[in-house]
Amino acid sequence: MEQVQLDRSRTGISPEHKLMKKNTIISMLALCAVAGAGEKPIPSVPMSERTSHDTLASRFVKRQESMKAQAVKPKPKVPEISDARREEWKPVNLLERSEFLSYRGQTTLVPKGALLNVPARYADRVRFSKGTKIIRWPEFLRGNLSWISTYEVNRRQAEAEVPLTEEELESIRKNPQVVVATMSGGPITVLRKAPETAAQTAAVDAKTEATPTTPVK
Amino acid sequence: MKTHTYLVISALLAGASVAPGDTYTNFVRQVQSVSGVEWQVPVERLGEQLSPLSIDPGGARFELWTVLADPLKSYLLDHKYVGTYVPRANVRIYSEDPYEVIPRTRCDRPFNVEIAVDGLIPDDPSAPAAAKMVNLYQHVQSYGEDGDGTEVNRELAILHSQTQETENGYHIFRWGFSSVPGADRTKIRGEERFTVESLDDYQAPASQLASQFIQIWPVADAAITGISDGDFIRFKMPSFEIHLNDLYPDSETWAQVYPGSPQLGVAGTIVPGSAVVVADSVPQDRVLRISDWDEALDDDGTWTLEVLHETPFGLERLDYVTFGIDRTLEVHGSVTTIE
């Protein structure tokens, strides 16, 4: 009985067969490198087995139980806030609080109330044009100085504590360009009238209640 | 008392995973609580400056938005409320993954949540509750099977835990693994958000002071097909496939062989054509077809084929098979000669 060893080149790309003649038994030494055979050291690296669902689930359940067992802290006393107040306090969609300026494929946003003057000839540029690229205000202003100018205001003017004078407003209205209110270069809302404080609202309500109404005959 | 706030604006586009080809533009607004006046911060993509719009006693909210042009839509990436006596807070989350764009980790790995609180006056009996403590919330949200967070509605996040903090300073919370819900705990994908909020107050309802979230990705798995445990190979090595699922966004995966029975931790011979490198923002799936790999097996005997997966969390074995090779031919016959 002959055994033919599959001859392997060192590169191991493809085997070659060698056929030995005349009852030659070629036995191939099986170099089974069984672990622990001690023939050559097997290099090792730090490695772990993939974690299992059972292991993680067990840890998750234990942690949930320990969290339930923790003492509940007493709630502090705070003012009652209505749902309506909470709702109005939430950040509103930015787009609903903004004005758009669009020209030549570009659009930017400014806060509502920042546009102090919009001449009729530029009315079609004060809107969002579909297909345009949205860019930031400083970049948009640089490219559109031919039809946009800015008017610097301070905080008190913006919040109408010290409203813009009639002369200032007239000067703005006469400007042939679109005028955007800014503060330190950033567009800002300019209120026409200072918001009523809570104290003022309460005083108005009290006065209304005290005023007698004339009965209708 | 009017105060100014130092604004630090950083690109937080990663809050909403950006689909390829989309262009987003960021806007920062300071909204005065009492008057409603809005000021748009004229900073570049990354920068910092002192806000010139002083904060009224009623406080102000700072909002970071990103706007997509087509379809026209805005996304709120972050917001902070600043008030005269409301404390300040910051949330930082870090894990073993050094990815800088957004905190992320795997569902079986730990992460730390560092909360810094400043401005609490717990010892003043006359101070309102909002000046003495803040609420800490942990919300969790699953992205669903195969989800990547692009279209997730964060309003639907689930409150998982809450507590209060009454002391200024750094508070570190360590989580050993994720709490995102899911039936298979190794296949969780979603996010966990940690938020610091002020208490309800006459000035303003409970408002976000700081918030940060970490993305959670599943554990990878692999399956070798075409070679089974106990197979006995006589000639050329058969082609086989490796099915890889949920490869971690920063990972290298490969197959190796070594002589002998399976042992964890062996550095074997890499099977040619079996390496996959992933450097992405979401997990990846792959199917590898391996053929003509005889060169990796230089002898007969018992061999083990393994699939290894290396991530920032270490090296792990995902699957293995053990098979035998015997390529010795036995020829039965005789040769005679005639002279």
Side-chain angles (χ1 to χ4, degrees):
Chain A
M1 173 157 90
E2 287 184 338
Q3 284 184 321
V4 175
Q5 180 177 351
L6 293 173
D7 186 21
R8 290 198 135 69
S9 67
R10 286 217 169 253
T11 58
I13 295 178
S14 59
E16 288 180 7
H17 297 271
K18 283 191 177 177
L19 180 64
M20 304 304 290
K21 296 181 179 180
K22 199 161 186 186
N23 296 325
T24 304
I25 297 175
I26 299 173
S27 62
M28 192 184 69
L29 295 173
L31 296 176
C32 298
V34 177
E39 289 172 350
K40 64 177 179 182
I42 300 173
S44 67
V45 289
M47 191 190 297
S48 59
E49 204 74 71
R50 178 189 182 276
T51 192
S52 71
H53 160 74
D54 290 340
T55 303
L56 274 181
S58 165
R59 291 171 66 194
F60 184 72
V61 166
K62 276 186 194 160
R63 187 174 72 187
Q64 294 297 92
E65 284 165 4
S66 75
M67 283 172 73
K68 279 181 197 166
Q70 283 172 11
V72 177
K73 292 181 184 175
K75 283 189 181 176
K77 198 171 171 191
V78 293
E80 262 188 53
I81 305 287
S82 67
D83 289 344
R85 173 77 176 112
R86 284 192 203 284
E87 205 49 44
E88 73 179 21
W89 182 246
K90 282 184 186 172
V92 176
N93 187 329
L94 182 73
L95 305 179
E96 293 173 17
R97 299 159 16 204
S98 303
E99 301 273 13
F100 294 91
L101 293 167
S102 294
Y103 189 54
R104 286 189 177 169
Q106 294 181 330
T107 294
T108 195
L109 280 70
V110 297
K112 264 194 177 142
L115 297 179
L116 298 179
N117 183 50
V118 179
R121 59 193 287 220
Y122 297 126
D124 63 332
R125 298 183 189 181
V126 182
R127 61 184 177 86
F128 175 69
S129 295
K130 206 170 178 210
T132 54
K133 181 184 169 190
I134 294 183
I135 62 175
R136 284 169 296 110
W137 162 254
E139 199 181 331
F140 187 86
L141 178 64
R142 276 196 297 273
N144 292 279
L145 287 169
S146 61
W147 60 279
I148 298 179
S149 60
T150 60
Y151 190 87
E152 271 292 303
V153 299
N154 57 40
R155 184 193 63 78
R156 297 179 75 192
Q157 288 171 316
E159 294 187 326
E161 262 184 54
V162 179
L164 294 172
T165 64
E166 198 45 52
E167 287 77 18
E168 286 170 324
L169 289 171
E170 185 61 26
S171 157
I172 291 168
R173 277 194 289 268
K174 284 182 178 171
N175 192 320
Q177 295 180 318
V178 170
V179 179
V180 179
T182 58
M183 188 172 79
S184 296
I188 187 168
T189 307
V190 173
L191 298 177
R192 299 294 185 260
K193 183 179 149 188
E196 218 170 58
T197 62
Q200 286 172 332
T201 306
V204 168
D205 288 346
K207 190 178 173 187
T208 306
E209 280 182 23
T211 304
T213 54
T214 306
V216 175
K217 290 184 181 174
Chain B
M1 183 180 78
K2 296 187 169 44
T3 57
H4 292 266
T5 298
Y6 205 62
L7 290 172
V8 177
I9 313 298
S10 58
L12 293 175
L13 261 182
S17 302
V18 178
D22 291 340
T23 303
Y24 293 80
T25 311
N26 290 352
F27 294 89
V28 180
R29 292 270 177 98
Q30 176 180 342
V31 183
Q32 301 287 81
S33 308
V34 174
S35 64
V37 162
E38 289 194 36
W39 177 63
Q40 188 160 295
V41 183
V43 285
E44 299 298 324
R45 290 178 197 283
L46 185 69
E48 55 185 47
Q49 67 177 85
L50 193 65
S51 167
L53 186 57
S54 54
I55 295 171
D56 290 326
R61 189 172 54 235
F62 293 84
E63 302 170 358
L64 172 64
W65 292 84
T66 196
V67 178
L68 178 63
D70 188 15
L72 183 64
K73 206 171 174 186
S74 62
Y75 300 90
L76 180 63
L77 298 182
D78 197 7
H79 63 279
K80 278 180 185 282
Y81 170 65
V82 179
T84 44
Y85 56 73
V86 173
R88 294 162 297 282
N90 193 46
V91 178
R92 181 173 156 250
I93 304 177
Y94 50 97
S95 71
E96 296 157 301
D97 188 339
Y99 189 56
E100 290 180 351
V101 176
I102 186 173
R104 68 181 184 191
T105 190
R106 211 171 64 185
C107 57
D108 62 327
R109 303 304 303 178
F111 59 92
N112 282 5
V113 180
E114 182 186 276
I115 295 181
V117 183
D118 181 39
L120 285 171
I121 40 176
D123 300 326
D124 183 352
S126 64
K132 294 185 185 177
M133 67 175 69
V134 292
N135 284 324
L136 311 182
Y137 296 107
Q138 176 196 13
H139 288 85
V140 295
Q141 186 164 21
S142 170
Y143 289 162
E145 192 179 338
D146 297 329
D148 60 8
T150 1
E151 294 297 329
V152 67
N153 179 359
R154 291 187 168 85
E155 299 270 320
L156 302 178
I158 302 165
L159 177 63
H160 183 74
S161 71
Q162 63 181 82
T163 188
Q164 288 141 11
E165 190 52 66
T166 55
E167 292 181 12
N168 291 315
Y170 286 92
H171 310 279
I172 299 180
F173 300 87
R174 181 177 166 88
W175 296 89
F177 49 90
S178 175
S179 307
V180 171
D184 184 345
R185 299 307 303 166
T186 64
K187 290 299 177 184
I188 300 299
R189 48 172 75 211
E191 58 187 50
E192 301 201 25
R193 179 178 288 276
F194 296 84
T195 304
V196 184
E197 274 193 8
S198 61
L199 272 61
D200 283 335
D201 186 62
Y202 292 109
Q203 279 189 5
S207 304
Q208 180 175 299
L209 304 178
S211 184
Q212 177 57 284
F213 72 89
I214 180 168
Q215 283 190 315
I216 306 293
W217 298 119
V219 181
D221 67 87
I224 299 170
T225 61
I227 296 184
S228 302
D229 242 3
D231 277 358
F232 195 70
I233 293 144
R234 296 277 298 174
F235 302 102
K236 183 174 170 59
M237 294 307 297
S239 300
F240 68 95
E241 287 188 347
I242 308 175
H243 297 257
L244 301 165
N245 298 310
D246 298 324
L247 297 178
Y248 192 72
D250 174 13
S251 65
E252 293 180 20
T253 309
W254 67 92
Q256 69 166 18
V257 285
Y258 55 84
S261 301
Q263 286 182 80
L264 198 60
V266 171
T269 303
I270 296 176
V271 175
S274 70
V276 175
V277 176
V278 177
D280 211 311
S281 58
V282 295
Q284 299 291 320
D285 298 340
R286 293 281 190 277
V287 177
L288 303 180
R289 291 176 185 82
I290 309 295
S291 55
D292 296 321
W293 57 294
D294 299 76
E295 68 182 84
L297 304 133
D298 57 4
D299 220 334
D300 285 357
T302 302
W303 286 81
T304 297
L305 169 67
E306 293 179 335
V307 177
L308 302 183
H309 183 56
E310 186 162 34
T311 64
F313 321 113
L315 181 62
E316 290 154 311
R317 181 169 67 182
L318 299 184
D319 195 18
Y320 62 93
V321 293
T322 302
F323 52 90
I325 298 178
D326 181 1
R327 287 176 282 213
T328 304
L329 282 182
E330 291 183 11
V331 177
H332 300 273
S334 62
V335 177
T336 56
T337 59
I338 297 175
E339 291 185 26

